[in-house]
């Protein structure tokens, strides 16, 4: 399968399209110089406690107050609070050292927000969900710094390894390596992309992430809430980091500055693949040249057609998304209705998995497939959907078909 990334840089917006065999499977759009993006860290102030929700509204400078639930304080909140107290209320000329701290016991997961937070209290918070519709950002005090190979978590001491790394020997190698190099009182999540990587690469990234933490707390000590303390150096590189794969055959970019940023990033994480980054300088718009504009127009309507005349209808409500599968006027129908229904449903599953990624559909998704009488066919469809959804980076859960022929899917959404 041929995979390509197409990066369209406009004055106010950046779009990244992922093509597999020239077919659009993922589209990310983000405004340039966007504020309140996932991963941003703010020094903020608790504005109002909501005991009924077991949450607090926090002022991060957005026009709607941000939301912080008690469970999003994280188990290490006591250690975090003690450190923050030294950082913000102690001697401002002296920087507290997290590595010399003695970790405090985890907080009670069944505790309440009014016993833990105070109105007017200063917090270091990270955005985990961007503002959507009438809602402000969603926050956590479990600060993380994400790199290509690992995620650094202050106040933790746990090492986790991606479940997608199947080799137990490789998991053990990575765990032992990270255990020997990580700073005290920092936890690490080892990402799938760390598989097979040399120690030097992991050491360099860990140093970079630790430096991000040091820079962040130094800014926080001098800041007045609400203040932005940390953000990605480049939004484009941040978007690319999450979708990049060394298996890409080409990355086409229509902006010279962005080309240099991406080339530099790829040179660091995959030096032997740096030549896949190419500039696009034709007069024809880059999305038109790669037929992406045409695919967007045909893929984002209420009705989406796929092979042999079959189609799906997508309806979105406040509570959930509903997808209906129709066989239409298929030109190459199978001899019997059951085989025809199975074939249409399998092809519809392929298109639905693509649409979930394209539209970043989140929450509850209910799919009404064409009825099938045989249990083995329903199981085959369920297993096929699980298999093709494995490429979806968003957290999701898929249930087998109900007795009414409905498949229920939940999927995480963090982007607006």
């Amino acid at each position: 399968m041929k995979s390509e990334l197409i990066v369209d840089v406009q004055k106010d917006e950046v779009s990244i399209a992922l093509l597999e065999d020239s077919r659009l499977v993922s589209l990310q759009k983000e405004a340039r110089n966007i504020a309140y993006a996932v991963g941003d860290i703010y020094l903020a102030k608790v504005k109002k406690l909501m005991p009924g929700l077991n949450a607090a509204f926090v002022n991060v400078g957005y026009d709607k107050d941000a939301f912080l639930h008690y469970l999003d304080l994280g188990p290490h909140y006591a250690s975090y609070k003690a450190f923050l107290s030294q950082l913000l209320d102690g001697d401002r000329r002296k920087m507290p050292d997290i590595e010399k701290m003695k970790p405090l016991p985890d907080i009670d997961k069944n505790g309440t927000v009014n016993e833990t937070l105070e109105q007017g209290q200063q917090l270091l918070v990270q955005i985990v969900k961007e503002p959507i519709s009438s809602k402000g950002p969603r926050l956590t005090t479990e600060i993380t710094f994400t790199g290509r190979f690992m995620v650094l978590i202050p106040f933790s001491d746990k090492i986790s390894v991606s479940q997608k790394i199947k080799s137990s020997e490789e998991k053990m190698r990575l765990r032992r390596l990270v255990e020997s190099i990580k700073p005290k009182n920092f936890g690490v999540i080892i990402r799938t992309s760390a598989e097979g990587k040399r120690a030097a690469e992991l050491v360099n990234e860990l140093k970079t992430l630790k430096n991000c933490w040091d820079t962040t707390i130094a800014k926080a000590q001098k800041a007045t809430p609400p203040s932005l303390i940390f953000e990605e150096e480049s939004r484009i590189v941040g978007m690319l980091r999450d979708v990049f794969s060394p298996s890409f055959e080409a990355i086409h970019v229509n902006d010279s500055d962005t080309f240099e940023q991406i080339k530099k990033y790829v040179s660091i994480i995959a030096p032997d693949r740096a030549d896949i980054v190419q500039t696009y300088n034709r007069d024809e718009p880059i999305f038109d040249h790669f037929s992406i504009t045409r695919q967007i127009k045909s893929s984002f309507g209420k009705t989406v057609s796929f092979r042999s005349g079959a189609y799906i209808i997508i309806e979105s409500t406040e509570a959930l998304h509903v997808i209906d599968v129709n066989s239409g006027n298929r030109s190459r129908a199978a001899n019997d209705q059951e085989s025809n229904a199975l074939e249409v449903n399998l092809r519809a599953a392929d298109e639905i998995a693509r649409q979930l990624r394209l539209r970043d559909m989140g929450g509850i998704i209910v799919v009404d497939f064409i009825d099938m009488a045989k249990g083995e066919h329903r199981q085959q469809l369920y297993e096929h959907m699980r298999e093709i959804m494995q490429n979806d980076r968003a957290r999701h859960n898929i249930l087998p078909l109900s007795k009414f022929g409905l498949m229920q899917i939940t999927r995480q959404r963090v982007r607006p």
Side-chain angles (χ1 to χ4, degrees), residues 288-349:
D288 290 356
H289 177 77
F290 289 96
S291 300
I292 296 170
T293 305
R294 176 182 56 79
Q295 293 189 61
I296 290 173
K297 288 180 179 178
S298 64
S299 297
F300 282 88
K302 177 180 174 182
T303 302
V304 180
S305 300
F306 52 101
R307 297 179 188 176
S308 308
Y311 61 95
I312 58 175
I313 296 175
I314 302 175
E315 297 269 12
S316 295
T317 71
E318 186 71 23
L320 47 77
H321 305 277
V322 181
I323 302 176
D324 186 36
V325 179
N326 294 280
S327 59
N329 300 315
R330 299 188 71 239
S331 58
R332 294 194 300 274
N335 293 330
D336 64 284
Q337 183 177 350
E338 181 76 8
S339 299
N340 185 51
L342 176 61
E343 185 181 345
V344 172
N345 284 339
L346 291 175
R347 301 292 72 78

Side-chain angles (χ1 to χ4, degrees), residues 5 10 53 83-85 164 168-169 180 226 231 234 236 280 296 314 340 350 406 410:
L5 269 187
Q10 300 298 329
L53 299 173
F83 177 86
L84 212 60
S85 177
K164 292 183 180 179
S168 56
E169 292 84 1
S180 68
E231 63 178 335
S234 167
I236 297 167
Y280 177 87
I296 290 173
I314 302 175
N340 185 51
D350 293 338
L406 303 176
T410 59

Side-chain angles (χ1 to χ4, degrees), residues 76 79-80 83-84 98 101 153-157 185-187 213:
H76 310 294
S79 299
Y80 158 95
F83 177 86
L84 212 60
I98 185 175
M101 283 186 62
I153 310 170
F155 308 106
S156 173
D157 206 32
N185 293 331
F186 283 90
W213 163 255

Side-chain angles (χ1 to χ4, degrees), residues 36 41-47 58-63 65-66 122-123 125 223-229:
Y36 307 100
I41 299 175
Y42 285 80
L43 182 65
K45 188 175 285 190
V46 176
K47 189 170 183 181
V58 178
N59 178 18
V60 293
Y62 189 68
D63 53 358
D65 288 330
Q122 293 187 46
L123 296 173
V125 294
T224 302
S227 296
L228 174 63
I229 302 300

Side-chain angles (χ1 to χ4, degrees), residues 165-180:
I165 299 177
K166 301 302 182 185
S167 167
S168 56
E169 292 84 1
E170 178 63 5
K171 283 185 176 181
M172 186 62 68
R173 181 188 77 89
L174 290 170
R175 186 181 292 276
R176 286 175 176 168
L177 174 59
V178 171
E179 180 68 49
S180 68

